[in-house]
Amino acid sequence: MNYLILQHPGHNRVYYNTAAPIALAELTIAVKKLSVVCQEPDIILLENIRYLSFETDRELTEDDLLLLSRLSFVFAMYILEKQPDKKVLIPIKKVDYEYVDSKISSLLKYKGKTNELFTKTMINVAVLSSTFDPREKIQMLDPVAGKGTTLFEGTVYGYDAFGIEIESKSVSEAVLFFKKYLE
């Protein structure tokens, strides 16, 4: 089966052209965790629209779709059906995985903030490169937590996210923001 993933339009809005190879690297790591055999993922253009693509030996399972739905760059997923005179994209529903709304880490704006989608990419690469099951509750530590972008992204996944930060003002602002958000 042929699958296509449309990259989120806000995925690294500053470096959009370099975001595709980063997304491809994240997908390449992720497909190794799927229950199906996958051919090497690639970047393709279809009607001048960029997609990440991969082929499998059979249909993806619900667990496979959950894993793919959690990737940082996924905006929409499709099955590519080739017909004699045209190509048809059949939408695939993304699986809801959010413990808290994923917008949480994009709401708090400040100078020097790490891009939340890049942070999510780094979390995914770390977890998918390990022996951890990304669906399980993982304990995650950010040793330079700042105002908590990594902690908030970990919370979206339902992970136990811990942070260390020596700047007390940053910690206070992060705690205040999180309390207000939860209210």
Side-chain angles (χ1 to χ4, degrees), residues 127-143:
V127 171
L128 293 170
S129 297
S130 73
T131 58
F132 291 115
D133 182 341
R135 297 167 297 174
E136 293 179 4
K137 186 173 259 191
I138 294 171
Q139 291 185 336
M140 188 177 88
L141 174 67
D142 182 356

mmCIF file of all heavy atoms in Angstrom, residues 127-143:
data_model
loop_
_atom_site.group_PDB
_atom_site.id
_atom_site.type_symbol
_atom_site.label_atom_id
_atom_site.label_comp_id
_atom_site.label_asym_id
_atom_site.label_seq_id
_atom_site.Cartn_x
_atom_site.Cartn_y
_atom_site.Cartn_z
ATOM 1 N N VAL A 127 12.633 9.067 21.648
ATOM 2 C CA VAL A 127 11.792 7.941 22.073
ATOM 3 C C VAL A 127 11.797 6.830 21.028
ATOM 4 O O VAL A 127 11.939 5.643 21.363
ATOM 5 C CB VAL A 127 10.352 8.416 22.376
ATOM 6 C CG1 VAL A 127 9.422 7.233 22.610
ATOM 7 C CG2 VAL A 127 10.349 9.345 23.579
ATOM 8 N N LEU A 128 11.670 7.189 19.751
ATOM 9 C CA LEU A 128 11.614 6.170 18.698
ATOM 10 C C LEU A 128 12.959 5.493 18.458
ATOM 11 O O LEU A 128 13.007 4.389 17.922
ATOM 12 C CB LEU A 128 11.092 6.783 17.397
ATOM 13 C CG LEU A 128 9.631 7.244 17.444
ATOM 14 C CD1 LEU A 128 9.290 8.061 16.204
ATOM 15 C CD2 LEU A 128 8.691 6.066 17.607
ATOM 16 N N SER A 129 14.043 6.130 18.871
ATOM 17 C CA SER A 129 15.370 5.520 18.733
ATOM 18 C C SER A 129 15.712 4.629 19.922
ATOM 19 O O SER A 129 16.753 3.973 19.919
ATOM 20 C CB SER A 129 16.438 6.617 18.605
ATOM 21 O OG SER A 129 16.221 7.372 17.448
ATOM 22 N N SER A 130 14.851 4.630 20.906
ATOM 23 C CA SER A 130 15.097 3.859 22.129
ATOM 24 C C SER A 130 14.273 2.574 22.123
ATOM 25 O O SER A 130 13.575 2.268 21.156
ATOM 26 C CB SER A 130 14.717 4.700 23.356
ATOM 27 O OG SER A 130 13.303 4.791 23.452
ATOM 28 N N THR A 131 14.323 1.871 23.224
ATOM 29 C CA THR A 131 13.497 0.673 23.382
ATOM 30 C C THR A 131 12.169 0.989 24.067
ATOM 31 O O THR A 131 11.374 0.087 24.313
ATOM 32 C CB THR A 131 14.248 -0.398 24.212
ATOM 33 O OG1 THR A 131 14.584 0.166 25.486
ATOM 34 C CG2 THR A 131 15.495 -0.870 23.492
ATOM 35 N N PHE A 132 11.916 2.277 24.361
ATOM 36 C CA PHE A 132 10.655 2.670 24.982
ATOM 37 C C PHE A 132 9.500 2.481 24.016
ATOM 38 O O PHE A 132 9.647 2.642 22.812
ATOM 39 C CB PHE A 132 10.677 4.149 25.399
ATOM 40 C CG PHE A 132 11.603 4.469 26.530
ATOM 41 C CD1 PHE A 132 12.703 5.292 26.323
ATOM 42 C CD2 PHE A 132 11.391 3.966 27.801
ATOM 43 C CE1 PHE A 132 13.557 5.614 27.357
ATOM 44 C CE2 PHE A 132 12.238 4.276 28.844
ATOM 45 C CZ PHE A 132 13.330 5.096 28.626
ATOM 46 N N ASP A 133 8.345 2.169 24.557
ATOM 47 C CA ASP A 133 7.110 2.156 23.785
ATOM 48 C C ASP A 133 6.521 3.555 23.911
ATOM 49 O O ASP A 133 6.168 3.968 25.011
ATOM 50 C CB ASP A 133 6.148 1.107 24.355
ATOM 51 C CG ASP A 133 4.850 1.012 23.572
ATOM 52 O OD1 ASP A 133 4.509 1.960 22.830
ATOM 53 O OD2 ASP A 133 4.164 -0.015 23.704
ATOM 54 N N PRO A 134 6.400 4.299 22.815
ATOM 55 C CA PRO A 134 5.939 5.689 22.911
ATOM 56 C C PRO A 134 4.522 5.829 23.467
ATOM 57 O O PRO A 134 4.121 6.903 23.877
ATOM 58 C CB PRO A 134 6.026 6.210 21.479
ATOM 59 C CG PRO A 134 6.169 5.035 20.614
ATOM 60 C CD PRO A 134 6.707 3.908 21.446
ATOM 61 N N ARG A 135 3.752 4.744 23.492
ATOM 62 C CA ARG A 135 2.390 4.810 24.017
ATOM 63 C C ARG A 135 2.363 4.715 25.537
ATOM 64 O O ARG A 135 1.357 5.007 26.164
ATOM 65 C CB ARG A 135 1.538 3.693 23.437
ATOM 66 C CG ARG A 135 1.371 3.796 21.921
ATOM 67 C CD ARG A 135 0.804 2.542 21.362
ATOM 68 N NE ARG A 135 1.765 1.475 21.626
ATOM 69 C CZ ARG A 135 1.561 0.205 21.381
ATOM 70 N NH1 ARG A 135 0.427 -0.207 20.898
ATOM 71 N NH2 ARG A 135 2.487 -0.697 21.639
ATOM 72 N N GLU A 136 3.458 4.284 26.125
ATOM 73 C CA GLU A 136 3.514 4.133 27.582
ATOM 74 C C GLU A 136 3.875 5.457 28.239
ATOM 75 O O GLU A 136 4.399 6.366 27.609
ATOM 76 C CB GLU A 136 4.536 3.063 27.955
ATOM 77 C CG GLU A 136 4.127 1.672 27.525
ATOM 78 C CD GLU A 136 5.159 0.620 27.871
ATOM 79 O OE1 GLU A 136 6.172 0.940 28.525
ATOM 80 O OE2 GLU A 136 4.954 -0.533 27.485
ATOM 81 N N LYS A 137 3.613 5.532 29.537
ATOM 82 C CA LYS A 137 3.963 6.734 30.307
ATOM 83 C C LYS A 137 5.466 6.691 30.560
ATOM 84 O O LYS A 137 5.969 5.834 31.265
ATOM 85 C CB LYS A 137 3.197 6.768 31.619
ATOM 86 C CG LYS A 137 3.409 8.059 32.378
ATOM 87 C CD LYS A 137 2.519 8.140 33.574
ATOM 88 C CE LYS A 137 1.382 9.049 33.177
ATOM 89 N NZ LYS A 137 0.544 9.453 34.270
ATOM 90 N N ILE A 138 6.170 7.625 29.959
ATOM 91 C CA ILE A 138 7.624 7.704 30.061
ATOM 92 C C ILE A 138 7.976 8.845 31.001
ATOM 93 O O ILE A 138 7.301 9.870 31.019
ATOM 94 C CB ILE A 138 8.228 7.953 28.655
ATOM 95 C CG1 ILE A 138 7.998 6.750 27.751
ATOM 96 C CG2 ILE A 138 9.703 8.296 28.741
ATOM 97 C CD1 ILE A 138 8.368 6.979 26.297
ATOM 98 N N GLN A 139 9.030 8.660 31.760
ATOM 99 C CA GLN A 139 9.547 9.757 32.570
ATOM 100 C C GLN A 139 10.611 10.474 31.755
ATOM 101 O O GLN A 139 11.538 9.856 31.249
ATOM 102 C CB GLN A 139 10.131 9.242 33.877
ATOM 103 C CG GLN A 139 9.069 8.710 34.813
ATOM 104 C CD GLN A 139 9.650 8.323 36.156
ATOM 105 O OE1 GLN A 139 10.829 8.027 36.288
ATOM 106 N NE2 GLN A 139 8.799 8.322 37.170
ATOM 107 N N MET A 140 10.443 11.775 31.636
ATOM 108 C CA MET A 140 11.291 12.574 30.769
ATOM 109 C C MET A 140 11.888 13.720 31.587
ATOM 110 O O MET A 140 11.177 14.346 32.367
ATOM 111 C CB MET A 140 10.407 13.120 29.642
ATOM 112 C CG MET A 140 11.109 13.819 28.547
ATOM 113 S SD MET A 140 9.906 14.309 27.292
ATOM 114 C CE MET A 140 9.435 15.885 27.930
ATOM 115 N N LEU A 141 13.176 13.985 31.416
ATOM 116 C CA LEU A 141 13.851 15.059 32.141
ATOM 117 C C LEU A 141 14.460 16.050 31.162
ATOM 118 O O LEU A 141 15.189 15.666 30.253
ATOM 119 C CB LEU A 141 14.964 14.489 33.039
ATOM 120 C CG LEU A 141 15.857 15.518 33.742
ATOM 121 C CD1 LEU A 141 15.062 16.310 34.769
ATOM 122 C CD2 LEU A 141 17.044 14.834 34.393
ATOM 123 N N ASP A 142 14.148 17.327 31.360
ATOM 124 C CA ASP A 142 14.785 18.406 30.611
ATOM 125 C C ASP A 142 15.718 19.114 31.583
ATOM 126 O O ASP A 142 15.258 19.821 32.481
ATOM 127 C CB ASP A 142 13.737 19.371 30.062
ATOM 128 C CG ASP A 142 14.353 20.495 29.225
ATOM 129 O OD1 ASP A 142 15.605 20.564 29.129
ATOM 130 O OD2 ASP A 142 13.579 21.297 28.675
ATOM 131 N N PRO A 143 17.036 18.961 31.420
ATOM 132 C CA PRO A 143 17.979 19.541 32.381
ATOM 133 C C PRO A 143 18.158 21.051 32.251
ATOM 134 O O PRO A 143 18.768 21.676 33.112
ATOM 135 C CB PRO A 143 19.288 18.811 32.067
ATOM 136 C CG PRO A 143 19.160 18.423 30.641
ATOM 137 C CD PRO A 143 17.697 18.160 30.401
#
